[in-house]
Amino acid sequence: MISEAAKQLLIQIVGRENYDDSKAGRLVYSYDATPQFQAIPEAVMAPRNTKEVSEIVKVCAEYRIPIVPRGSGTNLCAGTCPIEGGIVLLFKHMNRILEIDEDNLTATVQPGVITLDLIKSVEEKGLFYPPDPSSMKISTIGGNINENSGGLRGLKYGVTRDYVLGLEAVLANGDVIRTGGKLAKDVAGYDLTRLLVGSEGTLGIITEATLKLVPMPEAKKTMLALYQDLEAAARSVSKIIASKIIPATLEFLDQPTLRVVEDYAQIGLPTDVKAVLLIEQDGAREVVEREMRQIERICKEEQAVSVQLARSEQEADALRTARRSALSALARLRPTTILEDATVPRSEIAKMVTAINEIAEKYRVMICTFGHAGDGNLHPTCPTDARDDEEMERVEAAFAEIFAKAIELGGTITGEHGVGAMKAPYLEWKLGKEGVEVMQAIKRALDPYNIMNPGKVFAKSTRKRVVVTK
Ligand SMILES: Cc1cc2nc3c(=O)[nH]c(=O)nc-3n(C[C@H](O)[C@H](O)[C@H](O)COP(=O)(O)OP(=O)(O)OC[C@H]3O[C@@H](n4cnc5c(N)ncnc54)[C@H](O)[C@@H]3O)c2cc1C
Protein backbone atom coordinates (compact mmCIF):
# COMPACT_ATOMS: atom_id res chain seq x y z
CA MET A 1 0.00 0.00 0.00
CA ILE A 2 1.24 3.49 -0.83
CA SER A 3 0.45 5.56 2.26
CA GLU A 4 -0.89 9.10 1.91
CA ALA A 5 2.45 10.43 3.25
CA ALA A 6 4.44 8.51 0.61
CA LYS A 7 2.02 9.57 -2.13
CA GLN A 8 2.47 13.25 -1.27
CA LEU A 9 6.27 12.88 -1.31
CA LEU A 10 6.13 11.16 -4.72
CA ILE A 11 3.84 13.84 -6.18
CA GLN A 12 6.23 16.52 -4.94
CA ILE A 13 9.01 14.90 -6.98
CA VAL A 14 7.28 14.54 -10.39
CA GLY A 15 4.26 16.86 -10.15
CA ARG A 16 0.60 15.83 -10.08
CA GLU A 17 0.53 15.39 -13.86
CA ASN A 18 3.14 12.63 -13.71
CA TYR A 19 1.54 10.64 -10.89
CA ASP A 20 -1.55 8.67 -11.85
CA ASP A 21 -3.45 6.50 -9.40
CA SER A 22 -6.78 6.58 -11.19
CA LYS A 23 -8.37 3.17 -11.75
CA ALA A 24 -8.26 3.59 -15.54
CA GLY A 25 -4.62 4.72 -15.52
CA ARG A 26 -3.57 1.77 -13.36
CA LEU A 27 -5.54 -0.76 -15.41
CA VAL A 28 -3.64 0.19 -18.57
CA TYR A 29 -0.36 -0.84 -16.95
CA SER A 30 -1.66 -4.02 -15.31
CA TYR A 31 -0.38 -6.26 -18.12
CA ASP A 32 2.23 -6.54 -20.84
CA ALA A 33 2.57 -8.64 -24.01
CA THR A 34 2.58 -11.88 -21.98
CA PRO A 35 -0.76 -13.68 -21.94
CA GLN A 36 -2.44 -14.64 -18.67
CA PHE A 37 -0.58 -12.33 -16.32
CA GLN A 38 -2.35 -9.31 -14.92
CA ALA A 39 -1.98 -7.32 -11.70
CA ILE A 40 -2.98 -3.75 -11.03
CA PRO A 41 -0.29 -1.35 -9.76
CA GLU A 42 -1.05 1.24 -7.11
CA ALA A 43 0.25 4.14 -9.17
CA VAL A 44 1.93 4.96 -12.46
CA MET A 45 4.72 7.55 -12.50
CA ALA A 46 6.66 9.24 -15.29
CA PRO A 47 9.89 10.89 -14.05
CA ARG A 48 11.56 13.52 -16.25
CA ASN A 49 15.21 12.94 -15.39
CA THR A 50 17.69 10.83 -13.42
CA LYS A 51 17.41 13.04 -10.33
CA GLU A 52 13.68 12.43 -10.15
CA VAL A 53 14.20 8.68 -10.61
CA SER A 54 16.69 8.69 -7.75
CA GLU A 55 14.33 10.64 -5.47
CA ILE A 56 11.44 8.31 -6.28
CA VAL A 57 13.58 5.28 -5.44
CA LYS A 58 14.63 6.81 -2.11
CA VAL A 59 10.98 7.28 -1.11
CA CYS A 60 10.14 3.75 -2.29
CA ALA A 61 13.06 2.33 -0.30
CA GLU A 62 11.89 4.15 2.84
CA TYR A 63 8.26 3.04 2.45
CA ARG A 64 9.11 -0.38 0.91
CA ILE A 65 7.12 0.30 -2.25
CA PRO A 66 7.80 -2.03 -5.22
CA ILE A 67 8.97 -0.34 -8.45
CA VAL A 68 8.36 -1.88 -11.87
CA PRO A 69 10.35 -0.06 -14.58
CA ARG A 70 8.54 -0.28 -17.90
CA GLY A 71 9.50 0.57 -21.47
CA SER A 72 6.82 -0.32 -24.01
CA GLY A 73 5.64 -3.46 -22.20
CA THR A 74 6.34 -5.74 -25.18
CA ASN A 75 8.26 -8.30 -23.14
CA LEU A 76 7.03 -11.88 -23.34
CA CYS A 77 7.93 -13.06 -19.82
CA ALA A 78 5.51 -11.00 -17.68
CA GLY A 79 8.50 -8.83 -16.83
CA THR A 80 6.46 -5.66 -16.33
CA CYS A 81 3.38 -7.20 -14.75
CA PRO A 82 3.29 -5.55 -11.29
CA ILE A 83 2.52 -8.78 -9.47
CA GLU A 84 3.44 -7.33 -6.08
CA GLY A 85 1.72 -3.98 -6.67
CA GLY A 86 3.62 -0.73 -6.18
CA ILE A 87 4.58 1.77 -8.86
CA VAL A 88 4.99 1.30 -12.58
CA LEU A 89 7.72 3.67 -13.74
CA LEU A 90 7.46 4.98 -17.31
CA PHE A 91 10.20 6.59 -19.40
CA LYS A 92 8.04 8.53 -21.83
CA HIS A 93 9.77 11.80 -20.85
CA MET A 94 13.24 10.23 -20.95
CA ASN A 95 13.23 9.35 -24.63
CA ARG A 96 15.98 11.41 -26.25
CA ILE A 97 19.01 10.41 -28.28
CA LEU A 98 21.54 12.55 -26.43
CA GLU A 99 24.51 12.16 -28.76
CA ILE A 100 25.78 10.25 -31.79
CA ASP A 101 29.56 10.38 -31.52
CA GLU A 102 31.05 9.67 -34.93
CA ASP A 103 34.64 9.81 -33.63
CA ASN A 104 34.12 7.15 -30.99
CA LEU A 105 31.33 5.30 -32.85
CA THR A 106 28.91 5.52 -29.94
CA ALA A 107 25.38 6.70 -29.30
CA THR A 108 24.29 7.93 -25.88
CA VAL A 109 20.58 7.60 -25.26
CA GLN A 110 17.90 7.80 -22.62
CA PRO A 111 16.04 4.56 -21.81
CA GLY A 112 12.74 5.52 -23.46
CA VAL A 113 14.21 5.83 -26.99
CA ILE A 114 12.38 3.56 -29.44
CA THR A 115 14.80 1.00 -30.93
CA LEU A 116 13.91 1.71 -34.57
CA ASP A 117 14.29 5.48 -34.04
CA LEU A 118 17.86 4.88 -32.90
CA ILE A 119 18.57 2.52 -35.81
CA LYS A 120 17.26 5.09 -38.33
CA SER A 121 19.08 8.01 -36.72
CA VAL A 122 22.46 6.31 -36.84
CA GLU A 123 21.85 5.03 -40.37
CA GLU A 124 21.48 8.64 -41.53
CA LYS A 125 25.12 9.03 -40.53
CA GLY A 126 26.25 5.87 -42.33
CA LEU A 127 26.43 3.95 -39.05
CA PHE A 128 24.81 0.75 -37.91
CA TYR A 129 23.19 -0.35 -34.62
CA PRO A 130 22.62 -4.09 -35.24
CA PRO A 131 20.30 -5.33 -32.42
CA ASP A 132 16.92 -5.56 -34.16
CA PRO A 133 14.22 -7.33 -32.13
CA SER A 134 11.11 -7.91 -34.24
CA SER A 135 9.33 -5.52 -31.88
CA MET A 136 11.78 -2.71 -32.70
CA LYS A 137 9.07 -0.36 -33.97
CA ILE A 138 7.74 -0.10 -30.41
CA SER A 139 10.31 -1.56 -28.00
CA THR A 140 12.59 0.80 -26.07
CA ILE A 141 16.33 0.69 -25.56
CA GLY A 142 15.75 0.43 -21.77
CA GLY A 143 13.63 -2.68 -22.34
CA ASN A 144 16.13 -4.13 -24.86
CA ILE A 145 18.99 -3.68 -22.38
CA ASN A 146 17.08 -5.21 -19.50
CA GLU A 147 16.02 -8.25 -21.51
CA ASN A 148 19.32 -8.41 -23.42
CA SER A 149 17.20 -8.68 -26.54
CA GLY A 150 18.29 -10.34 -29.75
CA GLY A 151 16.97 -10.09 -33.27
CA LEU A 152 17.31 -11.23 -36.85
CA ARG A 153 20.89 -9.99 -37.07
CA GLY A 154 22.03 -11.73 -33.89
CA LEU A 155 23.91 -14.57 -35.54
CA LYS A 156 26.61 -12.40 -37.04
CA TYR A 157 26.36 -9.26 -34.92
CA GLY A 158 25.41 -10.54 -31.46
CA VAL A 159 22.70 -9.28 -29.13
CA THR A 160 22.05 -6.07 -27.20
CA ARG A 161 24.70 -6.96 -24.59
CA ASP A 162 27.40 -6.77 -27.26
CA TYR A 163 26.55 -3.11 -27.93
CA VAL A 164 26.24 -1.73 -24.39
CA LEU A 165 29.44 0.10 -23.48
CA GLY A 166 28.29 2.09 -20.49
CA LEU A 167 25.28 2.72 -18.30
CA GLU A 168 23.93 5.20 -15.84
CA ALA A 169 21.79 3.40 -13.28
CA VAL A 170 19.83 4.27 -10.17
CA LEU A 171 20.30 1.60 -7.51
CA ALA A 172 17.68 0.41 -5.03
CA ASN A 173 18.87 2.90 -2.39
CA GLY A 174 18.65 5.83 -4.81
CA ASP A 175 22.41 6.05 -5.50
CA VAL A 176 23.33 6.87 -9.09
CA ILE A 177 26.23 4.92 -10.61
CA ARG A 178 27.97 5.08 -13.97
CA THR A 179 29.53 1.97 -15.45
CA GLY A 180 31.84 1.71 -18.45
CA GLY A 181 31.70 4.54 -20.98
CA LYS A 182 32.85 5.35 -24.49
CA LEU A 183 35.81 3.08 -23.95
CA ALA A 184 36.87 0.25 -26.20
CA LYS A 185 38.86 -1.15 -23.28
CA ASP A 186 38.08 -0.93 -19.56
CA VAL A 187 38.89 -3.54 -16.93
CA ALA A 188 38.53 -1.41 -13.82
CA GLY A 189 36.91 -3.81 -11.38
CA TYR A 190 33.88 -6.05 -11.85
CA ASP A 191 31.96 -5.64 -15.09
CA LEU A 192 28.85 -3.97 -13.69
CA THR A 193 27.63 -3.09 -17.18
CA ARG A 194 27.27 -6.78 -18.00
CA LEU A 195 25.66 -7.45 -14.64
CA LEU A 196 22.96 -4.86 -15.31
CA VAL A 197 22.33 -5.93 -18.90
CA GLY A 198 19.57 -8.55 -18.85
CA SER A 199 18.79 -7.90 -15.18
CA GLU A 200 15.12 -7.30 -16.01
CA GLY A 201 14.74 -4.24 -13.80
CA THR A 202 15.54 -6.28 -10.69
CA LEU A 203 18.90 -4.68 -9.82
CA GLY A 204 18.53 -1.04 -10.79
CA ILE A 205 16.90 1.45 -13.12
CA ILE A 206 18.77 2.34 -16.30
CA THR A 207 18.58 6.08 -16.91
CA GLU A 208 21.17 6.44 -19.69
CA ALA A 209 23.11 4.11 -21.98
CA THR A 210 26.17 4.49 -24.17
CA LEU A 211 25.92 2.09 -27.09
CA LYS A 212 28.46 0.86 -29.59
CA LEU A 213 27.90 1.56 -33.28
CA VAL A 214 29.62 -0.06 -36.25
CA PRO A 215 30.11 1.12 -39.84
CA MET A 216 27.21 0.41 -42.18
CA PRO A 217 27.98 -2.70 -44.30
CA GLU A 218 28.57 -1.86 -47.97
CA ALA A 219 26.20 -4.43 -49.49
CA LYS A 220 23.46 -6.86 -48.50
CA LYS A 221 21.67 -9.75 -50.18
CA THR A 222 18.61 -11.71 -49.13
CA MET A 223 17.63 -15.23 -50.10
CA LEU A 224 14.79 -17.66 -49.42
CA ALA A 225 15.52 -21.41 -49.46
CA LEU A 226 12.51 -23.74 -49.59
CA TYR A 227 12.42 -27.29 -48.23
CA GLN A 228 10.04 -30.26 -48.22
CA ASP A 229 11.92 -31.69 -45.27
CA LEU A 230 12.42 -29.96 -41.90
CA GLU A 231 15.61 -31.85 -41.16
CA ALA A 232 17.12 -30.85 -44.51
CA ALA A 233 16.54 -27.19 -43.61
CA ALA A 234 18.15 -27.74 -40.21
CA ARG A 235 21.10 -29.56 -41.83
CA SER A 236 21.63 -26.60 -44.18
CA VAL A 237 21.95 -24.33 -41.16
CA SER A 238 24.67 -26.49 -39.62
CA LYS A 239 26.47 -26.94 -42.92
CA ILE A 240 26.50 -23.20 -43.77
CA ILE A 241 28.08 -22.43 -40.43
CA ALA A 242 30.43 -25.40 -40.58
CA SER A 243 31.67 -24.04 -43.91
CA LYS A 244 32.83 -20.96 -41.94
CA ILE A 245 30.23 -18.56 -43.28
CA ILE A 246 28.37 -16.53 -40.69
CA PRO A 247 25.29 -15.05 -42.39
CA ALA A 248 23.83 -11.82 -41.00
CA THR A 249 20.46 -13.56 -40.77
CA LEU A 250 19.50 -17.23 -40.79
CA GLU A 251 15.83 -17.56 -39.90
CA PHE A 252 13.56 -20.59 -39.96
CA LEU A 253 9.78 -20.83 -40.46
CA ASP A 254 7.83 -24.09 -40.48
CA GLN A 255 4.84 -24.68 -42.74
CA PRO A 256 2.04 -23.77 -40.30
CA THR A 257 3.83 -20.48 -39.55
CA LEU A 258 4.45 -19.82 -43.25
CA ARG A 259 0.78 -20.28 -44.08
CA VAL A 260 -0.37 -17.92 -41.36
CA VAL A 261 2.29 -15.33 -42.19
CA GLU A 262 1.39 -15.40 -45.90
CA ASP A 263 -2.29 -15.05 -45.07
CA TYR A 264 -1.38 -11.99 -42.97
CA ALA A 265 1.35 -10.35 -45.06
CA GLN A 266 0.19 -11.44 -48.57
CA ILE A 267 3.58 -11.15 -50.25
CA GLY A 268 3.52 -14.40 -52.20
CA LEU A 269 5.40 -16.66 -49.78
CA PRO A 270 5.25 -20.33 -50.83
CA THR A 271 2.87 -22.20 -48.54
CA ASP A 272 3.20 -25.68 -50.05
CA VAL A 273 6.67 -26.36 -48.60
CA LYS A 274 7.49 -27.81 -45.16
CA ALA A 275 10.01 -25.12 -44.15
CA VAL A 276 11.85 -22.06 -45.38
CA LEU A 277 15.12 -20.45 -44.43
CA LEU A 278 15.43 -16.70 -44.77
CA ILE A 279 19.13 -16.03 -45.28
CA GLU A 280 20.92 -12.70 -45.50
CA GLN A 281 24.51 -11.73 -45.84
CA ASP A 282 26.05 -8.28 -45.64
CA GLY A 283 29.55 -6.84 -45.88
CA ALA A 284 31.93 -6.01 -48.71
CA ARG A 285 30.19 -6.45 -52.08
CA GLU A 286 32.51 -9.19 -53.43
CA VAL A 287 32.37 -11.15 -50.18
CA VAL A 288 28.57 -11.00 -50.11
CA GLU A 289 28.36 -12.20 -53.73
CA ARG A 290 30.78 -15.06 -53.12
CA GLU A 291 29.26 -16.21 -49.84
CA MET A 292 25.69 -16.08 -51.14
CA ARG A 293 26.75 -18.32 -54.04
CA GLN A 294 28.31 -20.75 -51.54
CA ILE A 295 25.18 -20.69 -49.38
CA GLU A 296 22.98 -21.33 -52.41
CA ARG A 297 25.13 -24.34 -53.33
CA ILE A 298 24.92 -25.76 -49.78
CA CYS A 299 21.14 -25.33 -49.66
CA LYS A 300 20.76 -27.13 -52.98
CA GLU A 301 23.09 -29.94 -51.86
CA GLU A 302 20.86 -30.32 -48.82
CA GLN A 303 17.76 -30.83 -50.96
CA ALA A 304 16.32 -27.32 -50.97
CA VAL A 305 13.58 -27.54 -53.58
CA SER A 306 14.16 -23.94 -54.59
CA VAL A 307 16.51 -21.09 -53.71
CA GLN A 308 15.30 -17.60 -54.58
CA LEU A 309 17.32 -14.41 -54.34
CA ALA A 310 15.39 -11.20 -53.57
CA ARG A 311 15.52 -9.08 -56.73
CA SER A 312 15.27 -5.71 -55.03
CA GLU A 313 15.67 -4.12 -51.61
CA GLN A 314 11.89 -3.73 -51.58
CA GLU A 315 11.43 -7.48 -52.04
CA ALA A 316 14.06 -8.21 -49.38
CA ASP A 317 12.36 -5.83 -46.98
CA ALA A 318 9.00 -7.53 -47.57
CA LEU A 319 10.57 -10.90 -46.66
CA ARG A 320 12.13 -9.50 -43.47
CA THR A 321 8.88 -7.78 -42.51
CA ALA A 322 6.95 -11.00 -43.11
CA ARG A 323 9.31 -12.86 -40.78
CA ARG A 324 9.05 -10.12 -38.17
CA SER A 325 5.26 -10.32 -38.30
CA ALA A 326 5.19 -14.06 -37.46
CA LEU A 327 3.97 -13.53 -33.89
CA SER A 328 1.32 -10.97 -34.87
CA ALA A 329 0.14 -13.28 -37.66
CA LEU A 330 -0.10 -16.31 -35.36
CA ALA A 331 -1.91 -14.20 -32.77
CA ARG A 332 -4.87 -13.94 -35.16
CA LEU A 333 -5.58 -17.67 -34.99
CA ARG A 334 -7.00 -18.07 -31.50
CA PRO A 335 -7.76 -15.87 -28.47
CA THR A 336 -4.46 -16.61 -26.65
CA THR A 337 -0.97 -16.94 -28.13
CA ILE A 338 1.84 -18.37 -26.04
CA LEU A 339 5.26 -17.86 -27.54
CA GLU A 340 8.35 -19.41 -26.02
CA ASP A 341 12.02 -19.23 -26.86
CA ALA A 342 13.67 -22.51 -25.98
CA THR A 343 17.20 -22.41 -27.32
CA VAL A 344 19.67 -25.17 -28.18
CA PRO A 345 23.17 -25.34 -29.64
CA ARG A 346 22.62 -24.77 -33.35
CA SER A 347 23.85 -28.28 -34.15
CA GLU A 348 20.79 -29.61 -32.28
CA ILE A 349 18.15 -27.62 -34.19
CA ALA A 350 16.84 -30.59 -36.17
CA LYS A 351 16.42 -32.71 -33.03
CA MET A 352 14.69 -29.85 -31.22
CA VAL A 353 12.24 -29.15 -34.05
CA THR A 354 11.38 -32.85 -34.29
CA ALA A 355 10.92 -33.04 -30.51
CA ILE A 356 8.63 -29.97 -30.51
CA ASN A 357 6.40 -31.58 -33.15
CA GLU A 358 6.25 -34.86 -31.19
CA ILE A 359 5.44 -33.03 -27.95
CA ALA A 360 2.69 -31.02 -29.68
CA GLU A 361 1.16 -34.27 -30.93
CA LYS A 362 1.45 -35.94 -27.53
CA TYR A 363 -0.41 -33.12 -25.77
CA ARG A 364 -2.83 -32.48 -28.67
CA VAL A 365 -1.91 -28.80 -28.99
CA MET A 366 -1.06 -26.76 -32.07
CA ILE A 367 2.55 -25.55 -32.02
CA CYS A 368 3.98 -23.51 -34.88
CA THR A 369 7.74 -23.01 -34.86
CA PHE A 370 9.84 -20.23 -36.27
CA GLY A 371 12.94 -18.50 -35.05
CA HIS A 372 16.57 -17.62 -35.29
CA ALA A 373 17.84 -20.95 -36.61
CA GLY A 374 21.41 -19.73 -36.85
CA ASP A 375 21.35 -18.95 -33.11
CA GLY A 376 19.60 -22.19 -32.18
CA ASN A 377 16.89 -19.90 -30.81
CA LEU A 378 13.46 -21.30 -31.67
CA HIS A 379 10.06 -19.79 -30.97
CA PRO A 380 7.58 -22.64 -30.56
CA THR A 381 4.28 -20.78 -30.50
CA CYS A 382 0.95 -22.14 -29.36
CA PRO A 383 -2.30 -20.52 -30.46
CA THR A 384 -4.73 -21.51 -27.71
CA ASP A 385 -7.55 -20.25 -25.49
CA ALA A 386 -6.87 -19.22 -21.91
CA ARG A 387 -10.56 -19.68 -21.05
CA ASP A 388 -10.26 -23.44 -21.54
CA ASP A 389 -8.63 -24.73 -18.34
CA GLU A 390 -8.24 -28.28 -19.61
CA GLU A 391 -6.48 -27.16 -22.79
CA MET A 392 -4.27 -24.77 -20.81
CA GLU A 393 -3.11 -27.63 -18.58
CA ARG A 394 -1.99 -29.49 -21.72
CA VAL A 395 -0.28 -26.39 -23.11
CA GLU A 396 1.62 -25.86 -19.83
CA ALA A 397 2.68 -29.50 -19.76
CA ALA A 398 3.81 -29.36 -23.40
CA PHE A 399 5.97 -26.29 -22.79
CA ALA A 400 7.46 -27.77 -19.62
CA GLU A 401 8.51 -30.78 -21.70
CA ILE A 402 9.91 -28.50 -24.43
CA PHE A 403 12.07 -26.68 -21.84
CA ALA A 404 13.25 -30.00 -20.40
CA LYS A 405 14.18 -31.22 -23.89
CA ALA A 406 16.05 -27.98 -24.67
CA ILE A 407 18.10 -28.40 -21.48
CA GLU A 408 18.72 -32.07 -22.25
CA LEU A 409 20.16 -30.99 -25.63
CA GLY A 410 22.53 -28.54 -23.91
CA GLY A 411 20.24 -25.56 -24.35
CA THR A 412 18.35 -23.09 -22.18
CA ILE A 413 14.83 -22.07 -21.15
CA THR A 414 15.12 -18.66 -22.79
CA GLY A 415 17.45 -17.32 -25.47
CA GLU A 416 16.26 -13.74 -25.56
CA HIS A 417 12.90 -13.12 -23.90
CA GLY A 418 14.07 -13.24 -20.31
CA VAL A 419 12.79 -15.01 -17.22
CA GLY A 420 10.38 -12.51 -15.68
CA ALA A 421 7.54 -14.10 -13.74
CA MET A 422 6.72 -16.53 -16.51
CA LYS A 423 9.92 -18.59 -16.68
CA ALA A 424 10.91 -18.13 -13.03
CA PRO A 425 9.68 -21.63 -12.08
CA TYR A 426 12.09 -23.13 -14.63
CA LEU A 427 15.24 -21.13 -13.79
CA GLU A 428 16.58 -23.79 -11.46
CA TRP A 429 16.31 -26.38 -14.25
CA LYS A 430 18.90 -24.39 -16.13
CA LEU A 431 21.15 -23.07 -13.34
CA GLY A 432 20.81 -25.63 -10.60
CA LYS A 433 20.12 -24.69 -6.99
CA GLU A 434 23.64 -23.31 -6.48
CA GLY A 435 23.42 -21.11 -9.57
CA VAL A 436 20.12 -19.62 -8.45
CA GLU A 437 21.59 -19.00 -4.97
CA VAL A 438 24.48 -16.98 -6.43
CA MET A 439 22.01 -14.82 -8.32
CA GLN A 440 19.85 -14.40 -5.21
CA ALA A 441 22.92 -13.29 -3.24
CA ILE A 442 23.60 -10.58 -5.84
CA LYS A 443 19.96 -9.51 -5.71
CA ARG A 444 20.02 -9.30 -1.88
CA ALA A 445 23.25 -7.28 -1.92
CA LEU A 446 21.93 -4.71 -4.39
CA ASP A 447 18.27 -4.66 -3.37
CA PRO A 448 17.99 -5.69 0.29
CA TYR A 449 14.33 -4.66 0.60
CA ASN A 450 13.36 -6.38 -2.66
CA ILE A 451 11.68 -3.31 -4.12
CA MET A 452 13.12 -3.54 -7.65
CA ASN A 453 10.65 -5.42 -9.85
CA PRO A 454 9.89 -8.03 -7.15
CA GLY A 455 8.51 -11.43 -8.10
CA LYS A 456 10.59 -11.61 -11.27
CA VAL A 457 13.42 -14.04 -12.15
CA PHE A 458 13.22 -15.92 -8.84
CA ALA A 459 10.32 -18.34 -8.44
CA LYS A 460 7.64 -18.53 -5.88
CA SER A 461 6.57 -22.12 -5.24
CA THR A 462 3.70 -22.08 -7.76
CA ARG A 463 4.12 -22.70 -11.46
CA LYS A 464 0.71 -21.24 -12.27
CA ARG A 465 0.29 -17.97 -14.09
CA VAL A 466 -1.39 -15.22 -12.06
CA VAL A 467 -4.29 -12.96 -12.61
CA VAL A 468 -4.66 -10.51 -9.75
CA THR A 469 -7.24 -7.79 -9.84
CA LYS A 470 -7.62 -5.31 -7.02
C1 LIG B 1 5.68 -8.92 -31.65
C2 LIG B 1 6.87 -9.07 -30.75
C3 LIG B 1 8.09 -9.41 -31.29
C4 LIG B 1 9.21 -9.56 -30.46
N1 LIG B 1 10.40 -9.88 -31.03
C5 LIG B 1 11.50 -10.02 -30.26
C6 LIG B 1 12.76 -10.37 -30.84
O1 LIG B 1 12.90 -10.53 -32.04
N2 LIG B 1 13.82 -10.51 -30.01
C7 LIG B 1 13.71 -10.32 -28.66
O2 LIG B 1 14.71 -10.47 -27.97
N3 LIG B 1 12.53 -9.98 -28.08
C8 LIG B 1 11.43 -9.82 -28.84
N4 LIG B 1 10.24 -9.49 -28.26
C9 LIG B 1 10.16 -9.26 -26.80
C10 LIG B 1 10.30 -7.76 -26.40
O3 LIG B 1 9.92 -6.91 -27.45
C11 LIG B 1 11.71 -7.42 -25.94
O4 LIG B 1 11.96 -8.08 -24.72
C12 LIG B 1 11.96 -5.92 -25.74
O5 LIG B 1 13.30 -5.68 -25.46
C13 LIG B 1 11.13 -5.29 -24.64
O6 LIG B 1 11.23 -3.88 -24.77
P1 LIG B 1 10.17 -2.93 -24.05
O7 LIG B 1 10.57 -1.53 -24.26
O8 LIG B 1 8.80 -3.27 -24.47
O9 LIG B 1 10.41 -3.31 -22.53
P2 LIG B 1 9.37 -3.76 -21.43
O10 LIG B 1 8.61 -4.93 -21.88
O11 LIG B 1 8.61 -2.59 -20.97
O12 LIG B 1 10.37 -4.18 -20.26
C14 LIG B 1 11.22 -5.28 -20.39
C15 LIG B 1 12.02 -5.46 -19.10
O13 LIG B 1 12.91 -4.38 -18.95
C16 LIG B 1 12.70 -3.70 -17.71
N5 LIG B 1 12.96 -2.30 -17.99
C17 LIG B 1 12.44 -1.54 -18.98
N6 LIG B 1 13.00 -0.32 -18.96
C18 LIG B 1 13.88 -0.30 -17.93
C19 LIG B 1 14.78 0.66 -17.38
N7 LIG B 1 14.91 1.87 -17.91
N8 LIG B 1 15.53 0.31 -16.30
C20 LIG B 1 15.42 -0.92 -15.75
N9 LIG B 1 14.59 -1.87 -16.23
C21 LIG B 1 13.85 -1.56 -17.30
C22 LIG B 1 11.29 -4.06 -17.30
O14 LIG B 1 11.11 -3.98 -15.91
C23 LIG B 1 11.18 -5.47 -17.84
O15 LIG B 1 11.75 -6.37 -16.92
C24 LIG B 1 9.09 -9.36 -29.06
C25 LIG B 1 7.85 -9.01 -28.52
C26 LIG B 1 6.75 -8.87 -29.35
C27 LIG B 1 5.44 -8.49 -28.72
Side-chain angles (χ1 to χ4, degrees):
M1 262 303 271
I2 300 179
S3 66
E4 190 54 32
K7 175 175 166 175
Q8 290 314 320
L9 287 171
L10 292 167
I11 289 175
Q12 266 175 35
I13 297 167
V14 291
R16 191 71 190 83
E17 66 282 15
N18 289 310
Y19 183 97
D20 185 0
D21 58 359
S22 69
K23 181 113 199 232
R26 293 185 296 130
L27 193 60
V28 171
Y29 294 102
S30 61
Y31 59 91
D32 52 35
T34 323
Q36 288 183 281
F37 285 82
Q38 188 176 21
I40 302 196
E42 288 154 85
V44 180
M45 294 184 70
R48 290 162 292 198
N49 51 50
T50 304
K51 186 165 169 285
E52 288 186 359
V53 175
S54 161
E55 286 172 6
I56 292 169
V57 175
K58 282 181 185 156
V59 172
C60 290
E62 189 182 339
Y63 289 88
R64 310 286 193 265
I65 301 169
I67 305 172
V68 181
R70 177 176 168 123
S72 294
T74 67
N75 73 86
L76 296 164
C77 61
T80 46
C81 179
I83 52 181
E84 298 198 7
I87 290 167
V88 167
L89 210 62
L90 304 179
F91 299 97
K92 61 182 182 185
H93 301 307
M94 298 175 69
N95 62 352
R96 279 181 305 130
I97 297 175
L98 300 172
E99 184 194 38
I100 296 174
D101 180 341
E102 293 178 71
D103 293 332
N104 286 305
L105 294 186
T106 59
T108 300
V109 302
Q110 292 185 312
V113 168
I114 300 293
T115 315
L116 188 60
D117 291 348
L118 174 67
I119 291 175
K120 283 186 173 161
S121 298
V122 307
E123 280 182 4
E124 279 167 19
K125 295 182 184 296
L127 295 169
F128 188 35
Y129 177 70
D132 61 340
S134 297
S135 52
M136 66 187 179
K137 280 189 194 159
I138 30 174
S139 71
T140 64
I141 294 295
N144 294 171
I145 291 173
N146 276 279
E147 297 294 6
N148 187 16
S149 298
L152 266 58
R153 303 192 280 237
L155 172 60
K156 180 169 177 176
Y157 290 100
V159 295
T160 302
R161 174 181 54 220
D162 303 303
Y163 294 85
V164 183
L165 294 175
L167 293 170
E168 179 186 78
V170 175
L171 301 179
N173 61 1
D175 283 356
V176 181
I177 58 162
R178 278 192 170 268
T179 72
K182 291 182 181 178
L183 300 159
K185 292 174 119 184
D186 178 11
V187 290
Y190 297 146
D191 191 342
L192 298 181
T193 310
R194 287 240 167 176
L195 179 63
L196 289 168
V197 174
S199 64
E200 305 190 20
T202 63
L203 298 181
I205 298 169
I206 306 302
T207 47
E208 196 181 293
T210 298
L211 305 169
K212 179 170 114 175
L213 306 174
V214 294
M216 192 68 170
E218 183 193 359
K220 183 171 190 173
K221 279 195 178 277
T222 306
M223 177 192 277
L224 211 55
L226 319 181
Y227 295 85
Q228 284 303 0
D229 174 9
L230 279 180
E231 300 218 353
R235 276 198 313 273
S236 299
V237 171
S238 303
K239 205 161 162 191
I240 291 167
I241 289 162
S243 71
K244 305 195 175 48
I245 299 173
I246 305 292
T249 296
L250 190 35
E251 295 288 307
F252 165 87
L253 287 92
D254 70 1
Q255 189 176 45
T257 312
L258 259 179
R259 290 191 167 155
V260 178
V261 167
E262 173 55 18
D263 190 42
Y264 177 81
Q266 311 253 321
I267 59 158
L269 286 173
T271 51
D272 54 346
V273 292
K274 289 277 173 0
V276 303
L277 292 178
L278 171 68
I279 307 166
E280 293 194 292
Q281 185 56 304
D282 62 9
R285 205 168 299 281
E286 310 85 302
V287 177
V288 173
E289 295 283 346
R290 189 179 64 236
E291 294 196 340
M292 283 308 253
R293 276 198 302 276
Q294 276 173 268
I295 293 173
E296 182 177 356
R297 185 175 42 73
I298 292 170
C299 294
K300 285 185 173 156
E301 278 168 12
E302 290 303 330
Q303 274 86 50
V305 287
S306 157
V307 181
Q308 306 164 2
L309 211 56
R311 280 158 301 188
S312 63
E313 179 46 30
Q314 212 181 1
E315 203 176 300
D317 201 43
L319 291 174
R320 284 192 288 271
T321 307
R323 158 60 189 91
R324 288 198 171 106
S325 64
L327 173 56
S328 319
L330 287 163
R332 301 194 317 163
L333 290 185
R334 296 197 61 203
T336 311
T337 311
I338 298 185
L339 177 143
E340 286 297 353
D341 77 327
T343 301
V344 291
R346 53 175 82 99
S347 55
E348 305 295 329
I349 281 270
K351 277 189 210 147
M352 192 65 213
V353 172
T354 308
I356 290 170
N357 291 339
E358 286 167 3
I359 292 167
E361 208 169 303
K362 174 173 165 191
Y363 290 97
R364 292 175 288 114
V365 292
M366 177 181 190
I367 297 187
C368 304
T369 302
F370 62 96
H372 316 291
D375 303 339
N377 182 195
L378 293 171
H379 293 312
T381 302
C382 181
T384 179
D385 186 347
R387 294 166 301 186
D388 183 339
D389 288 343
E390 187 274 330
E391 181 172 328
M392 290 314 295
E393 296 266 320
R394 283 187 280 118
V395 172
E396 294 276 347
F399 276 118
E401 209 163 305
I402 287 173
F403 298 144
K405 184 71 191 177
I407 289 172
E408 184 194 313
L409 292 174
T412 182
I413 56 170
T414 169
E416 59 180 16
H417 291 165
V419 178
M422 188 170 177
K423 300 274 186 66
Y426 305 103
L427 187 67
E428 200 174 307
W429 292 13
K430 167 66 184 153
L431 299 176
K433 195 164 162 291
E434 299 78 6
V436 173
E437 274 169 11
V438 171
M439 290 194 186
Q440 280 173 326
I442 294 171
K443 169 74 173 165
R444 276 195 301 275
L446 289 183
D447 181 17
Y449 304 130
N450 193 24
I451 59 166
M452 299 300 312
N453 208 1
K456 311 297 158 56
V457 181
F458 304 109
K460 294 261 160 90
S461 54
T462 172
R463 201 180 289 166
K464 288 275 171 228
R465 287 138 203 254
V466 285
V467 178
V468 184
T469 37
K470 279 191 216 160

